[in-house]
Amino acid sequence: MSFYVKVKDSTGKYVFIEVTLEIHELFEEERRYNKRIKKEYQRHRTDEEFIEEYMLPNRLHTVSIPEKLAHQHDLKQAQAVIATCTETQQRRFNLHRVMGYSLTEIAKMENCSKVSVKESVDKVIAKLNNLKKDL
């Protein structure tokens, strides 16, 4: 009985070569091993992708160009909505939501009540929420 293996020659073409049973078994063992490794890699790769996408949402994420453009567009719309607010509302919103000051700290800075600061910030947030609903 004759045994053959398929190999590439120097030109890159596949050729069949007659070999002994022992050599044929070695080639078959290597082929099975490579196939097993490939399947194992595919299984583990999809597991890793699942973990990255669903289990670890706080990991670093590379943002695609369309996502960047959409984010920039949303940001411009939000800035346009904030620009329609009064200067006081804009200033208080910036101090509270962007710079992280508490409502009490802003009230002390502006010599007003905490409630008036909260109302100003809430009005800007309400306008932004309306924008979000429209999108």
Side-chain angles (χ1 to χ4, degrees), residues 82 85-125:
I82 293 171
C85 300
T86 66
E87 286 183 35
T88 304
Q89 291 171 342
Q90 289 179 34
R91 183 180 61 253
R92 291 176 178 173
F93 176 80
N94 187 42
L95 287 169
H96 181 62
R97 295 303 285 259
V98 178
M99 299 181 78
Y101 286 98
S102 70
L103 298 175
T104 307
E105 290 172 326
I106 298 168
K108 286 180 184 176
M109 281 189 254
E110 297 193 352
N111 294 323
C112 64
S113 69
K114 179 180 169 182
V115 174
S116 64
V117 173
K118 182 172 177 5
E119 287 174 354
S120 295
V121 172
D122 287 346
K123 286 180 183 177
V124 178
I125 291 171

Side-chain angles (χ1 to χ4, degrees), residues 57-71:
N58 294 330
R59 293 190 72 186
L60 292 177
H61 171 67
T62 304
V63 181
S64 67
I65 292 174
E67 287 176 321
K68 284 182 183 179
L69 292 174
H71 180 69

Side-chain angles (χ1 to χ4, degrees), residues 2 8 11 15 21 29 35 70 73 79 87 94 119 126:
S2 300
K8 280 186 182 180
T11 62
V15 294
L21 175 62
E29 188 178 323
K35 187 176 180 180
H73 177 71
Q79 288 172 338
E87 286 183 35
N94 187 42
E119 287 174 354

Side-chain angles (χ1 to χ4, degrees), residues 9-42:
D9 66 3
S10 61
T11 62
K13 294 181 183 177
Y14 284 101
V15 294
F16 287 94
I17 299 175
E18 187 175 352
V19 294
T20 64
L21 175 62
E22 292 80 19
I23 301 294
H24 184 268
E25 286 176 350
L26 283 174
F27 272 86
E28 277 299 304
E29 188 178 323
E30 182 182 15
R31 184 188 63 77
R32 281 191 221 111
Y33 174 78
N34 288 337
K35 187 176 180 180
R36 186 173 50 247
I37 294 296
K38 184 178 177 181
K39 280 187 178 181
E40 188 175 315
Y41 175 74
Q42 288 173 341

Side-chain angles (χ1 to χ4, degrees), residues 44-55:
H44 290 292
R45 184 172 174 202
T46 45
D47 288 346
E48 289 172 6
E49 289 172 358
F50 174 80
I51 289 169
E52 287 179 9
E53 290 179 20
Y54 300 104
M55 304 302 284

Side-chain angles (χ1 to χ4, degrees), residues 125-135:
I125 291 171
K127 286 185 178 185
L128 291 172
N129 285 337
N130 288 338
L131 170 67
K132 190 189 284 186
K133 288 178 188 176
D134 293 340
L135 296 177

